[in-house]
């Protein structure tokens, strides 16, 4: 090793045009005596290579290229390793620094950022990356295929805009087809997809297609594919993702899709006489189920009201985890029963919950069941306040409800948060809130918030489990206790 200090510049040269190569990148290349990079990239900057040693190794020998660069610098050379776009994004910056770390090399390394393909393509398309986006390379040379598909699914599910680098090559066109199929599982075929081939280079090609047509579109290894989110739209050949994620629809991932308009015919109460609704066979199956549940429950829990609620919860879910997961806030059962006996309203987050509640028992107590979700003002309120529709529905219904209200939420964690916010703002608190939504996004957090607040009594569960059927079971157990007259 010589005493002369070498240096390795890791240089992103941008998409390919002169104007998008940063002045610092140009300086680094100029000061280098050796340039290392994929031949295709070296051709892009051929005019800057005059008088320098250019080592254009072929693609796929990335580690070898990295080792070569470090070795030359260790001998005192000034080396620029060039990548297209940004050197740190599916480029050489990672490889070279990995090699340096492994060798414990003391060579100086300087990274110079470049305009990555996602940014170049986004500029050509309009503003598809104006909100949260994920970048995934579909190249399975360095990443196992199942890792790639998992990531695509996760990003699609979370409603990210997705930039797909290395979308395809001659050897793996079928894999791109599999990816498109995966995307279609989570996203509408109408979703706009931007295709930019050779951005800012000769042969540039820009197209916007529907996700449903992506398989037949022209996609090559020089294309970057930008798949829109559920919010992305196209206006006069421009692909735009709104900067403001109105109505926070991410959270509606855990809301059951409800039709926005409901036919007036099912708006009215069921005209069937509640007394003829039940069959003896049905009753005996229920009784047998309760016996089996009781046997499996053993002595836990001892409190009869808690046990009645747990029994119905397990009956609705066949899940004994609730023995540990259910959380009865202090005085919650008493408060709910008091509210129901006073003829308070049960306010539900979705119509499906209303359908699961025993309207005959509620009727006997003079208890009404209300849902604000399909109120004519709900959508507008959701839009103007940036709420989910269920949260707006809870707000609307609570504004109209009186004392003794029981709030029941089986579906939308955002409705729990809205309820707490309203009470913090000064709304009279409900008699009790039963918040046991099911799901993955924001659900555990919302339940935790419910059990941490001290404004009103609550009933909830720990973890992800819950849902409309479970909340209906809890409400029915409370109605039964209230109706039967025994003190909880
Ligand atoms: N380091 C590069 C990415 C290298 S991976 C960067 O930051 O941009 C190679 C992939 O990048 C290609 O398969 C293609 O999907 C994308 N890509 C790179 N340059 C591009 C360009 N000018 N136009 C379109 N896509 C490009």
């Amino acid at each position: 090793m010589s005493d002369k200090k070498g240096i390795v510049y890791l240089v992103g040269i941008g998409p390919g045009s002169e104007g998008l190569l940063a002045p610092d990148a140009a300086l680094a290349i100029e000061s280098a005596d050796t340039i290392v990079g994929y031949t295709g990239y070296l051709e892009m900057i051929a005019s800057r290579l005059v008088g320098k040693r250019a080592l254009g190794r072929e693609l796929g020998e990335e580690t070898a290229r990295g080792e070569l660069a470090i070795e030359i610098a260790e001998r005192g050379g000034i080396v620029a390793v060039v990548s297209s776009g940004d050197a740190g994004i599916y480029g050489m910056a990672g490889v070279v620094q990995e090699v340096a770390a492994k060798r414990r090399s003391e060579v100086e390394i300087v990274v110079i950022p470049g305009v990555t393909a996602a940014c170049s393509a986004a500029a050509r398309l309009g503003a598809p990356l104006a909100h949260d986006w994920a970048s995934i390379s579909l190249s399975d040379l360095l990443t196992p295929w199942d890792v790639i598909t998992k990531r695509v699914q996760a990003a699609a599910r979370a409603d990210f805009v997705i930039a797909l680098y290395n979308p395809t090559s001659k050897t793996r066109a079928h894999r791109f087809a599999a990816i498109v199929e995966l995307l279609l599982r989570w996203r509408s075929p109408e979703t706009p997809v931007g295709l930019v081939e050779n951005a800012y280079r000769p042969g540039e090609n820009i197209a916007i297609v529907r996700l449903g047509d992506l398989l037949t579109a022209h996609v090559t290894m020089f294309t970057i594919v930008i798949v829109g989110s559920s919010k992305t739209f196209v206006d006069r050949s421009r692909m735009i993702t709104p900067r403001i994620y109105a109505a926070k629809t991410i959270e509606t991932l855990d809301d059951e899709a409800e039709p926005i308009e409901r036919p007036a015919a099912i708006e009215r109460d069921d005209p069937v006489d509640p007394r003829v609704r039940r069959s003896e066979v049905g009753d005996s199956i229920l009784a047998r189920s309760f016996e089996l549940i009781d046997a499996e429950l053993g002595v836990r829990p001892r409190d009869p009201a808690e046990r009645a609620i747990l029994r119905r919860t397990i009956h609705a879910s066949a899940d004994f985890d609730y023995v540990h997961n259910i959380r009865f806030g202090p005085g919650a059962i008493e408060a709910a029963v008091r509210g129901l006996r006073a003829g308070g309203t049960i306010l539900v987050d979705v119509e499906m919950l209303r359908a699961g509640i025993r309207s005959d028992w509620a009727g006997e107590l003079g208890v009404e069941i209300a849902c604000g979700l399909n109120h004519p003002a709900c959508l507008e309120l959701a839009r103007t306040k940036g709420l989910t529709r269920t949260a707006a529905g809870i707000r609307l219904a609570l504004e109209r409800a009186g004392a003794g209200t029981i709030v029941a939420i089986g579906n939308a964690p955002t409705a729990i948060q809205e309820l707490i916010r309203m009470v913090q703002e000064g709304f009279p608190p409900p008699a009790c809130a039963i918040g046991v939504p099911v799901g993955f996004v924001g659900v555990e957090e919302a339940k935790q918030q419910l059990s941490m607040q001290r404004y009103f009594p609550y009933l909830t569960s720990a973890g992800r489990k819950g849902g409309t059927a479970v909340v209906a079971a809890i409400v029915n157990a409370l109605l039964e206790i209230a109706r039967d007259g025994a003190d909880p």
Side-chain angles (χ1 to χ4, degrees):
M1 205 186 293
S2 93
D3 285 345
K4 199 177 138 213
K5 254 188 97 200
I7 186 163
V8 177
Y9 290 108
L10 298 166
V11 186
I13 59 171
S17 70
E18 270 295 311
L20 288 178
L21 185 138
D24 279 7
L27 272 182
I29 293 168
E30 205 182 305
S31 67
D33 43 53
T34 306
I35 314 287
V36 177
Y38 170 54
T39 318
Y41 302 152
L42 296 188
E43 279 165 15
M44 278 184 215
I45 52 165
S47 64
R48 299 178 186 274
L49 304 183
V50 182
K52 299 181 192 297
R53 184 158 64 130
L55 301 172
R57 295 259 180 137
E58 282 316 309
L59 202 65
E61 300 174 14
E62 297 200 329
T63 311
R65 260 186 282 161
E67 269 165 1
L68 180 69
I70 298 279
E71 274 164 21
I72 296 171
E74 278 175 347
R75 291 197 299 267
I78 311 288
V79 186
V81 179
V82 300
S83 284
S84 78
D86 182 89
I89 298 178
Y90 314 121
M92 288 297 295
V95 182
V96 171
Q97 288 175 94
E98 271 176 62
V99 169
K102 222 176 261 163
R103 294 166 63 119
R104 308 209 146 270
S105 171
E106 289 180 4
V107 141
E108 188 181 353
I109 294 174
V110 178
V111 188
I112 293 157
V115 178
T116 189
C119 297
S120 309
R124 285 303 199 213
L125 291 164
L129 307 181
H131 209 277
D132 299 338
W133 63 284
S135 131
I136 301 174
S137 165
L138 298 189
S139 166
D140 57 354
L141 288 178
L142 306 169
T143 312
W145 183 245
D146 69 314
V147 171
I148 296 173
T149 54
K150 259 188 212 143
R151 289 188 178 160
V152 169
Q153 279 211 71
R157 232 192 127 178
D159 205 21
F160 282 105
V161 172
I162 307 173
L164 298 173
Y165 283 75
N166 298 302
T168 187
S169 75
K170 285 188 198 85
T171 54
R172 51 184 171 87
H174 63 288
R175 298 221 140 153
F176 184 61
I179 292 293
V180 174
E181 201 175 292
L182 264 186
L183 290 167
L184 277 166
R185 269 195 225 163
W186 303 99
R187 244 163 250 192
S188 147
E190 297 308 317
T191 309
V193 178
L195 304 170
V196 181
E197 184 185 15
N198 287 314
Y200 296 92
R201 287 180 198 159
E204 182 180 85
N205 207 344
I206 302 159
I208 299 175
V209 301
R210 295 165 67 247
L211 180 57
D213 298 330
L214 182 51
L215 264 186
T216 53
H218 174 75
V219 176
T220 69
M221 61 184 293
F222 303 107
T223 309
I224 181 157
V225 177
I226 300 189
V227 182
S229 74
S230 65
K231 297 283 175 198
T232 307
F233 64 96
V234 178
D235 175 54
R236 286 161 292 169
S237 310
R238 300 198 145 259
M239 183 175 166
I240 301 159
T241 302
R243 173 79 183 83
I244 297 165
Y245 210 88
K248 297 184 183 159
T249 39
I250 281 277
E251 285 141 325
T252 62
L253 280 178
D254 284 302
D255 292 4
E256 277 148 13
E258 289 259 342
I260 289 172
E261 299 297 341
R262 224 154 41 98
I266 56 164
E267 191 85 48
R268 300 286 117 235
D269 278 340
D270 192 339
V272 177
D273 183 341
R275 282 163 304 184
V276 301
R277 273 191 189 171
R278 309 196 63 79
S279 79
E280 280 177 19
V281 185
D283 281 348
S284 78
I285 294 173
L286 183 72
R288 179 75 188 126
S289 306
F290 281 359
E291 268 173 37
L292 293 170
I293 294 167
D294 268 322
E296 200 161 329
L297 273 177
V299 293
R300 327 151 286 178
R302 284 180 195 283
D303 178 85
E306 285 187 14
R307 192 174 180 95
I309 290 169
L310 196 58
R311 193 188 288 130
R312 278 195 178 270
T313 300
I314 294 169
H315 179 246
S317 61
D319 188 343
F320 280 82
D321 282 358
Y322 284 106
V323 174
H324 313 289
N325 292 350
I326 204 158
R327 298 276 181 273
F328 300 99
I333 299 175
E334 292 84 338
V337 168
R338 227 179 296 125
L340 293 171
R341 284 188 185 152
T345 303
I346 301 174
L347 218 157
V348 296
D349 60 340
V350 291
E351 290 291 349
M352 190 175 153
L353 179 52
R354 190 212 295 263
I357 295 175
R358 289 286 299 259
S359 57
D360 48 346
W361 293 350
E364 280 176 52
L365 290 161
V367 165
E368 259 193 35
I369 308 167
C371 178
L373 192 60
N374 290 299
H375 190 283
C378 183
L379 255 187
E380 186 54 29
L381 180 69
R383 253 185 228 128
T384 51
K385 285 214 144 213
L387 299 171
T388 64
R389 204 156 61 85
T390 13
I394 283 288
R395 173 168 278 267
L396 275 173
L398 199 63
E399 280 172 357
R400 283 156 184 75
T405 302
I406 315 291
V407 178
I409 295 166
N411 188 40
T414 52
I416 293 181
Q417 285 157 337
E418 188 59 15
L419 169 65
I420 296 171
R421 203 172 309 135
M422 283 181 79
V423 174
Q424 282 169 340
E425 280 168 20
F427 264 96
C432 182
I434 300 143
V436 193
V438 60
F440 299 87
V441 180
V443 166
E444 290 181 79
E445 294 83 345
K447 289 181 190 174
Q448 203 165 15
Q449 272 171 270
L450 182 59
S451 60
M452 304 282 282
Q453 59 77 36
R454 291 291 170 262
Y455 301 108
F456 48 83
Y458 65 88
L459 226 150
T460 187
S461 68
R464 298 161 167 182
K465 291 182 184 181
T468 304
V470 163
V471 174
I474 294 172
V475 171
N476 286 337
L478 289 166
L479 281 168
E480 197 169 30
I481 297 166
R483 191 188 65 134
D484 287 349
D487 281 327

